[in-house]
Amino acid sequence: MWKIEYNKNKEKEYKLACRRCDGETHHKVLHSVHVHESEKEVDVWSDYEIVCCQGCKEVSFRMQSACSEDVFVDPETGEMAFVEDIELYPSRIAGRKQVRDMYLLPNEVLKIYKETHGALCARFNILTGIGIRALVESVCIEKNTQGINLENKIDDLVNKGVLTQDGADTLHSTRLMGNKSAHEIIAASEEELDIAMDIVENLVKNVYIIPQKSKRLKAKTKVEK
């Protein structure tokens, strides 16, 4: 059996992450399609919804699905409930905006940063770990560091005056985490990835964005004098 209902959830509201507001906000359903599939006593329900943030009015997409075979005991009510799978597009996490002024990053660094940020927001944990390691390596390549491996190249960032020793020590922790993702196919936890992403975002800001903005400020000050 296949049954479709249009706008069953229209005007319904959810609290969802908004990439523009950079937090969780109320989203209203503008249009929805509800699909019910049933075969051999197995039911699958899917909702496809166009939603609008009630703060900034950004429009995005929400999909929710559940299957009669996937159930759990609700710890609050003690009753059986369906496991619901919810996806948002574009993928996002509340409080995890892309770096401001990222257009100041070199092209290859920017490309890897955007892909890694997208993987993090989609919670592709292994790919995120690999991406964080690749992002560090892309900075080392752009700065023409020397060394037979990434560990040596990070240390050379200190020799070149790009990083302090403390900064390099911190960066080594992201390297080790990325190695586990890339070579051992071990996913880091979401908390570890969030911390590692904070570290590499701080890296690209300090290496590229802040120095360029500082140059612009100095140039503007000279003109005004």
Side-chain angles (χ1 to χ4, degrees):
M1 184 192 75
W2 180 283
K3 183 180 179 182
I4 298 179
E5 293 180 66
Y6 295 100
N7 286 327
K8 177 183 177 181
N9 297 333
K10 189 174 182 178
E11 300 298 317
K12 189 174 182 178
E13 289 196 9
Y14 305 101
K15 197 169 185 181
L16 305 173
C18 177
R19 63 175 184 170
R20 182 174 293 179
C21 294
D22 198 27
E24 286 193 341
T25 61
H26 290 285
H27 285 63
K28 182 178 289 186
V29 177
L30 302 180
H31 188 76
S32 71
V33 177
H34 177 77
V35 179
H36 179 196
E37 302 173 70
S38 181
E39 184 176 355
K40 296 181 180 179
E41 298 183 351
V42 176
D43 292 283
V44 176
W45 302 273
S46 301
D47 287 291
Y48 305 91
E49 302 164 334
I50 297 174
V51 296
C52 178
C53 172
Q54 295 305 285
C56 68
K57 304 304 179 183
E58 169 118 331
V59 176
S60 58
F61 186 79
R62 177 184 184 272
M63 184 181 78
Q64 176 177 311
S65 60
C67 176
S68 59
E69 297 294 291
D70 297 327
V71 295
F72 70 102
V73 178
D74 190 319
E76 295 185 0
T77 64
E79 298 179 354
M80 299 298 290
F82 293 115
V83 176
E84 296 181 334
D85 183 32
I86 300 174
E87 295 182 36
L88 302 177
Y89 182 82
S91 300
R92 65 261 194 189
I93 297 174
R96 178 58 74 180
K97 270 188 173 182
Q98 292 181 328
V99 169
R100 186 177 179 181
D101 298 320
M102 63 181 180
Y103 66 91
L104 294 173
L105 301 178
N107 288 337
E108 288 305 312
V109 176
L110 175 60
K111 180 180 178 181
I112 295 173
Y113 170 72
K114 292 172 71 174
E115 290 187 7
T116 303
H117 186 276
L120 177 66
C121 288
R123 287 308 185 190
F124 296 152
N125 291 3
I126 291 178
L127 293 179
T128 303
I130 295 172
I132 287 171
R133 186 188 189 283
L135 184 57
V136 173
E137 188 140 25
S138 71
V139 174
C140 292
I141 292 173
E142 197 278 329
K143 291 300 179 182
N144 196 30
T145 55
Q146 304 301 308
I148 61 173
N149 53 38
L150 184 55
E151 181 180 6
N152 297 150
K153 292 175 181 177
I154 291 174
D155 289 337
D156 198 37
L157 287 173
V158 178
N159 298 332
K160 292 181 179 297
V162 177
L163 287 181
T164 64
Q165 187 58 56
D166 286 344
D169 292 341
T170 302
L171 212 54
H172 281 306
S173 63
T174 67
R175 173 183 61 82
L176 295 172
M177 185 198 70
N179 286 346
K180 288 185 178 181
S181 297
H183 303 309
E184 302 175 38
I185 320 300
I186 297 175
S189 68
E190 292 184 359
E191 181 181 6
E192 290 172 326
L193 291 172
D194 284 336
I195 293 172
M197 195 66 176
D198 286 340
I199 292 171
V200 293
E201 285 185 337
N202 189 60
L203 170 69
V204 297
K205 285 190 285 187
N206 287 334
V207 174
Y208 299 110
I209 296 175
I210 293 176
Q212 291 195 58
K213 296 182 78 171
S214 178
K215 287 181 181 178
R216 291 182 181 181
L217 180 60
K218 288 179 180 177
K220 182 176 175 59
T221 303
K222 287 181 180 179
V223 171
E224 291 178 349
K225 284 183 178 180

